[in-house]
Amino acid sequence: KNEVEQSPQNLTAQEGEFITINCSYSVGISALHWLQQHPGGGIVSLFMLSSGKKKHGRLIATINIQEKHSSLHITASHPRDSAVYICAVLFSATPRLLYSGGGADGLTFGKGTHLIIQP
Amino acid sequence: KAGVTQTPRYLIKTRGQQVTLSCSPISGHRSVSWYQQTPGQGLQFLFEYFSETQRNKGNFPGRFSGRQFSNSRSEMNVSTLELGDSALYLCASSLDFTHRWLAGGGSETQYFGPGTRLLVL
């Protein structure tokens, strides 16, 4: 079964702390997606990656394909970083599935990490 | 550049009714994906449309259907509503997100709409 596990489920930290959120998945993937969801429900895409590391401002995402694991880091955290962070993966599909016009999986999501940064 | 828009934003229906939700993608985007978010199950993939064709489908019953028009706008329909269909329904648009990443060498992302909150009574 294709599964995505996130940890921790909830995280409360003080402003300025270094934050790490983890995501593990069960089988080979084509891509991993980190998303941010604010209390109003809107979702913003933070990173898409299939290997290595990406950085955008205070956010860093890394992925280890061999270990089937990704981390999202937030440096110098701020109260405005408070949100739910969701990991989603696109599991690899065989060429047959890819070109047969259907059957390939869409994104599979983790349950999310509720992050609260206190001033 | 306008973002992804969804209408209506809020909707209340009763069991047994049907509902149609609309999604207008970013101009130039041909792929529209739909997702359901509930407190219990989290986010789940419903289906993806590309150039008016359903390309991928998640594990949902046949009561959930959709379509895409020639201008890439997409609708999803839920017939015979059940209480468990109460959820936030999100759509996301892209140039060709799934295909490009599955084929290798993908670089693009999806852009999410604000969602439609459906309450079934």
Side-chain angles (χ1 to χ4, degrees), chain A residues 31 33 37 45 102 104 111, chain B residues 37 41 43 55-56 101-102 109:
Chain A
H33 203 161
Q37 186 172 32
S45 170
K111 296 295 187 188
Chain B
Q37 186 176 36
Q41 297 297 319
L43 272 162
R55 194 161 60 179
N56 294 302
W101 279 99
L102 285 172
T109 188

Side-chain angles (χ1 to χ4, degrees), chain A residues 97-110:
Chain A
L97 288 174
L98 181 63
Y99 297 113
S100 67
D105 289 336
L107 286 172
T108 301
F109 297 86

Side-chain angles (χ1 to χ4, degrees), chain A residues 30-31 33 35 37 39-41 43 45 48-50 86 90-93 98-99 101-107 109 111, chain B residues 35 37 40-45 54-57 88 90 97-99 101-103 107-110 112-114 117:
Chain A
S30 295
H33 203 161
L35 305 165
Q37 186 172 32
I43 290 181
S45 170
M48 280 291 307
L49 64 167
S50 59
I86 303 168
L90 195 60
F91 287 106
S92 299
L98 181 63
Y99 297 113
D105 289 336
L107 286 172
F109 297 86
K111 296 295 187 188
Chain B
Y35 304 96
Q37 186 176 36
Q41 297 297 319
L43 272 162
Q44 293 181 281
F45 169 71
Q54 185 182 90
R55 194 161 60 179
N56 294 302
K57 190 177 190 302
L88 177 66
L90 293 152
F97 172 82
T98 306
H99 182 96
W101 279 99
L102 285 172
S107 61
E108 65 166 323
T109 188
Q110 287 186 319
F112 285 79
R117 287 196 181 275

Side-chain angles (χ1 to χ4, degrees), chain A residues 5 11 13 23 29 31-32 34 39 41 44 66 72 99-100 106 113 116:
Chain A
E5 299 287 337
L11 178 58
C23 176
I29 66 169
L32 186 142
W34 280 105
V44 175
Q66 287 73 31
L72 176 68
Y99 297 113
S100 67
T113 294
I116 298 173

Side-chain angles (χ1 to χ4, degrees), chain B residues 9 20 24 31 33 35 39 43 45 47 49 51 53 56 60 71-73 78 82-83 87 95 98 105 109-110 113:
Chain B
R9 294 293 309 279
T20 299
S24 292
S31 171
S33 296
Y35 304 96
L43 272 162
F45 169 71
F47 27 65
Y49 285 86
S51 291
T53 301
N56 294 302
F60 277 81
N71 62 357
S72 293
R73 188 177 71 85
V78 188
E82 300 178 358
L83 295 179
L95 292 169
T98 306
T109 188
Q110 287 186 319

Side-chain angles (χ1 to χ4, degrees), chain B residues 47-119:
Chain B
F47 27 65
E48 179 196 6
Y49 285 86
F50 183 84
S51 291
E52 303 179 63
T53 301
Q54 185 182 90
R55 194 161 60 179
N56 294 302
K57 190 177 190 302
N59 189 25
F60 277 81
R63 299 185 298 106
F64 291 82
S65 63
R67 59 179 176 168
Q68 187 179 32
F69 302 94
S70 58
N71 62 357
S72 293
R73 188 177 71 85
S74 178
E75 290 181 345
M76 67 162 282
N77 182 277
V78 188
S79 63
T80 320
L81 284 165
E82 300 178 358
L83 295 179
D85 297 333
S86 295
L88 177 66
Y89 290 90
L90 293 152
C91 76
S93 82
S94 69
L95 292 169
D96 191 6
F97 172 82
T98 306
H99 182 96
R100 291 181 180 180
W101 279 99
L102 285 172
S107 61
E108 65 166 323
T109 188
Q110 287 186 319
Y111 297 86
F112 285 79
T116 295
R117 287 196 181 275
L118 172 65
L119 177 62

